[in-house]
Amino acid sequence: MAKTSRTKEIWHIPKRGNVHQTIYMVNLLTWDKFLQKSWSNQKQEMIASEMGKAGLTESGKAISHQSVRTLLANLPKYLGFVYIDESSTPSKVVVTDAGYELLRVHDIESIKKHKNLREYKDAGDLIDISPMFEKQMIKLIITNPTIKRDCENILVFPFRLTLKLLLELEYLDMEEIAYILFHSKNEDEQELLKQRILNFRNLSPDSRSKEIGAYRSTEEGNLTLVKAPSAGYYMYLCCSTGICSRDVVKVNKIGKNKLTAIKLIDKDKAQALLSNYSNISAYDFRDNMKLWMEYFANPNIIEPPFKLELCTNSDTDILVVVKKGEDIIGSDILGITNKSLNIEVFSEAKYTINVYELSTGKKISEDTFTASKDATVYAI
């Protein structure tokens, strides 16, 4: 892989795949010969063959196993429909609850097969919008553990920020997305982004052309606007939710330059959707893949976790063990010197606190509670 010096403080967007391909690949991974099996080159080649048989490639033929890895790592993994279980050797691909929900929403096997993707589109059988893509996009947080290799020092709900800007600006063109939006790091930059975009639109055609030309010559510009531009793929992702549509807009008040852009299909729906998440903040999952998948891969969880502080006034040391179901999510010795333990919990989820006498190992107490964002401190 070529060495790159570009910043990682930029949104990471997958560059390959579409809604229909994603659904069918997730469907294939539930077949007996793939389900919970090792993710070997042989299995990847079998997936490639099945994708070709279904006509879900550009050529209508099997793609390479390297292309299958790329497709899987892009939309299916990026949107939480599958994950790679690397706790076993060799690694396995696991379909998540969100993946199974995707298959319940779309009866992919009932759709007539065609020779290639073009024929699917011409026949009107190509799925390019999914309510599950909407659900996952509205939950998506950048950065998260699945993309930390390519992205860092950003904490934002990218799609929510995009919707907020579209409500105020009517559209976002491809250059604005790449040059301005992709470099935002948190949601309190919304007003700043809006003003930067408005200033950019007010440039003369010549000034805008020079500025964007200079950006295109950078590694970041090459990534987002030139070679398989990630700005275009992000526009596709936004449209895959059914909330946005692609259009062509005039990019300056004077001149004839036009660019592809995204607009809102239904402003009232976008506003209502944002209202449902108005009190939810992006959460830094750091490297905690298990916690990220618990949030992102579960369609019944819409809020990220929050930190809960467990406190004790015990004057002797005790062992505190916190469990969710059978999983231990936190433990520590509290008492004489350490009076609190911080754990990460989900709102409305049930947890059990077991307290043990340190000297004998005898259980002193067991308490079950339901986490609530209204109570971020819990007394043992």
Side-chain angles (χ1 to χ4, degrees):
M1 182 179 292
K3 185 178 180 180
T4 178
S5 59
R6 72 164 177 83
T7 179
K8 291 185 179 181
E9 294 182 353
I10 188 172
W11 292 9
H12 176 69
I13 307 298
K15 284 194 169 189
R16 191 169 182 178
N18 63 43
V19 176
H20 203 123
Q21 282 182 321
T22 298
I23 299 169
Y24 198 75
M25 179 173 281
V26 174
N27 175 58
L28 288 175
L29 291 169
T30 65
W31 292 10
D32 287 343
K33 60 183 175 181
F34 301 117
L35 186 63
Q36 296 288 337
K37 301 297 193 300
S38 63
W39 189 231
S40 61
N41 285 348
Q42 181 186 23
K43 289 293 189 298
Q44 292 162 25
E45 288 170 358
M46 291 167 67
I47 290 281
S49 176
E50 294 295 341
M51 294 289 286
K53 289 177 185 177
L56 288 170
T57 63
E58 295 291 344
S59 66
K61 300 178 181 179
I63 53 180
S64 68
H65 68 273
Q66 292 95 334
S67 294
V68 166
R69 283 203 302 271
T70 301
L71 279 174
L72 182 86
N74 287 345
L75 295 188
K77 185 178 175 184
Y78 188 80
L79 291 179
F81 300 128
V82 303
Y83 74 94
I84 308 295
D85 180 6
E86 297 180 344
S87 64
S88 61
T89 304
S91 59
K92 299 177 182 178
V93 178
V94 179
V95 178
T96 67
D97 289 345
Y100 281 105
E101 183 68 17
L102 177 74
L103 299 182
R104 282 191 287 271
V105 171
H106 301 281
D107 185 7
I108 193 71
E109 290 288 1
S110 69
I111 297 174
K112 180 182 177 181
K113 301 293 191 297
H114 297 280
K115 291 182 180 179
N116 53 47
L117 285 171
R118 170 58 63 181
E119 287 197 9
Y120 274 92
K121 185 173 182 179
D122 292 343
D125 290 330
L126 185 68
I127 303 173
D128 52 16
I129 292 175
S130 170
M132 281 303 295
F133 273 58
E134 174 192 317
K135 181 174 285 190
Q136 295 305 97
M137 281 291 285
I138 207 72
K139 288 175 63 176
L140 178 65
I141 296 173
I142 294 177
T143 301
N144 66 69
T146 66
I147 61 173
K148 286 203 73 172
R149 187 184 68 174
D150 303 295
C151 188
E152 62 186 16
N153 297 330
I154 298 172
L155 194 60
V156 65
F157 288 106
F159 189 50
R160 295 184 206 181
L161 182 56
T162 301
L163 294 181
K164 291 174 184 176
L165 289 170
L166 286 173
L167 283 168
E168 295 196 62
L169 296 170
E170 299 297 326
Y171 71 87
L172 289 169
D173 70 45
M174 192 168 178
E175 290 177 352
E176 293 165 352
I177 290 171
Y179 184 42
I180 300 174
L181 182 63
F182 279 179
H183 293 268
S184 59
K185 296 180 182 179
N186 54 69
E187 299 206 23
D188 64 10
E189 295 180 1
Q190 180 184 341
E191 188 60 29
L192 174 62
L193 293 170
K194 175 186 171 182
Q195 292 305 317
R196 285 192 62 199
I197 290 169
L198 289 174
N199 291 340
F200 188 58
R201 291 179 184 179
N202 283 328
L203 292 175
S204 68
D206 184 56
S207 295
R208 174 168 173 149
S209 179
K210 288 180 179 178
E211 190 163 327
I212 207 68
Y215 176 68
R216 289 167 68 93
S217 68
T218 66
E219 286 193 61
E220 294 79 11
N222 185 61
L223 171 74
T224 60
L225 276 177
V226 181
K227 189 176 181 181
S230 60
Y233 287 96
Y234 182 68
M235 293 167 74
Y236 174 82
L237 267 178
C238 291
C239 294
S240 74
T241 67
I243 299 174
C244 301
S245 63
R246 293 173 77 103
D247 202 348
V248 176
V249 299
K250 193 174 181 179
V251 298
N252 292 93
K253 291 183 177 179
I254 57 176
K256 298 181 180 180
N257 293 337
K258 293 183 178 181
L259 278 176
T260 304
I262 52 173
K263 295 182 176 181
L264 291 174
I265 293 174
D266 186 337
K267 290 185 179 180
D268 290 339
K269 180 179 179 181
Q271 188 65 65
L273 192 60
L274 289 172
S275 296
N276 291 338
Y277 295 90
S278 60
N279 295 319
I280 300 175
S281 300
Y283 189 80
D284 185 1
F285 286 83
R286 302 174 303 281
D287 295 315
N288 195 334
M289 178 67 77
K290 183 177 180 181
L291 190 68
W292 167 252
M293 294 310 297
E294 186 176 357
Y295 158 70
F296 197 53
N298 187 337
N300 296 318
I301 294 179
I302 64 170
E303 295 188 40
F306 63 94
K307 289 183 179 179
L308 176 68
E309 184 180 15
L310 303 179
C311 300
T312 181
N313 60 1
S314 174
D315 56 6
T316 60
D317 282 339
I318 54 175
L319 173 63
V320 177
V321 179
V322 187
K323 300 178 72 176
K324 182 183 181 188
E326 296 301 315
D327 294 331
I328 296 175
I329 66 163
S331 64
D332 203 352
I333 296 173
L334 305 183
I336 298 174
T337 59
N338 186 16
K339 296 293 185 181
S340 66
L341 164 66
N342 289 309
I343 58 174
E344 295 168 307
V345 297
F346 290 92
S347 183
E348 304 305 317
K350 291 185 177 181
Y351 298 87
T352 301
I353 302 174
N354 292 315
V355 179
Y356 300 88
E357 190 177 66
L358 196 60
S359 58
T360 65
K362 179 182 178 181
K363 183 187 286 188
I364 300 171
S365 67
E366 180 177 309
D367 187 21
T368 299
F369 71 97
T370 301
S372 171
K373 291 175 71 175
D374 295 330
T376 57
V377 178
Y378 188 90
I380 303 173

